Amino acid sequence: IGKKWNDTLGMGQTYNSLGSTYNKMGNFPLALSSFQKSLTYKEKRNDKMGMSNTYINIGSIYQSMSVFDKAEEYILKGAKVKEEIGDKYGVAGALKNLSIIYTRTGKVEKSITVLESIRKDYNAFMDPYLKSAVLGNLAEAYQKVGHLNKAIESAKECLKIREELGDSIEVSYSL
């Protein structure tokens, strides 16, 4: 029906939903295909917010597939568009995802640089959940390079936020 009526908004959203569902099922090739189709419709509409989210979704799928160069490429595309449209929270989230790629690929110092820049440049735009995720990632990265005092400091800040949120599952990950 969406194609018949030329409903580019509905088609883009439907393919995005399919991509999310396939991702949850672990079917990354179908998730990737669905997100790429969603992106086509969002580009036709020049839906910058939708495009940025879909770029990041595609990057996350590539990350799950351990295709880190493509993951980095798409997450950076998403972050760039989010910056262009003034979505500071979205930029911080995208960069946090990028830091995970850097840590997993052994570029831990680069990850630390990204995470510290998020804290400096985007702290005012982050909610407590994103702040705690950034701090948790930072604690892990500092630990990997042997900066144990900084790792402990970041982990304690993360734990404090998660306790304030009453998030017992995330608190257990912080310990």
Side-chain angles (χ1 to χ4, degrees):
I1 293 176
K3 283 184 182 178
K4 181 179 177 182
W5 290 68
N6 198 26
D7 179 12
T8 56
L9 175 63
M11 292 298 294
Q13 290 171 337
T14 301
Y15 277 116
N16 192 71
S17 294
L18 279 170
S20 294
T21 303
Y22 287 132
N23 182 34
K24 285 188 189 316
M25 293 171 59
N27 191 333
F28 302 130
L30 281 177
L32 188 58
S33 174
S34 296
F35 284 133
Q36 288 169 332
K37 288 175 183 172
S38 174
L39 183 60
T40 300
Y41 285 103
K42 290 173 182 179
E43 287 173 339
K44 284 180 186 177
R45 294 180 53 83
N46 198 30
D47 173 7
K48 298 284 189 181
M49 180 62 83
M51 288 164 50
S52 67
N53 291 336
T54 304
Y55 286 137
I56 293 166
N57 288 342
I58 291 170
S60 295
I61 296 300
Y62 278 123
Q63 180 178 342
S64 295
M65 296 169 60
S66 298
V67 182
F68 296 115
D69 58 331
K70 286 292 218 181
E72 179 182 14
E73 173 188 337
Y74 277 93
I75 290 172
L76 282 171
K77 273 185 185 180
K80 181 180 178 191
V81 174
K82 286 189 174 297
E83 187 68 45
E84 289 170 4
I85 62 175
D87 179 6
K88 304 282 189 203
Y89 179 88
V91 173
L95 294 176
K96 178 207 48 98
N97 292 346
L98 189 62
S99 76
I100 295 167
I101 293 169
Y102 292 149
T103 298
R104 287 190 182 160
T105 57
K107 301 173 188 170
V108 183
E109 291 291 348
K110 194 170 187 177
S111 177
I112 290 169
T113 300
V114 168
L115 290 163
E116 287 292 2
S117 76
I118 294 169
R119 290 183 69 195
K120 178 178 160 266
D121 299 335
Y122 298 100
N123 193 52
F125 305 100
M126 294 189 290
D127 65 17
Y129 294 99
L130 184 53
K131 284 181 184 179
S132 69
V134 167
L135 287 164
N137 290 358
L138 194 55
E140 178 186 351
Y142 275 134
Q143 188 270 332
K144 285 184 182 287
V145 296
H147 298 311
L148 301 182
N149 288 334
K150 288 183 177 184
I152 289 169
E153 180 183 320
S154 297
K156 283 182 177 180
E157 284 184 62
C158 174
L159 180 60
K160 181 181 179 211
I161 292 170
R162 289 176 177 172
E163 286 174 337
E164 289 170 359
L165 291 169
D167 192 344
S168 59
I169 293 173
E170 289 298 324
V171 166
S172 69
Y173 291 138
S174 300
L175 297 175

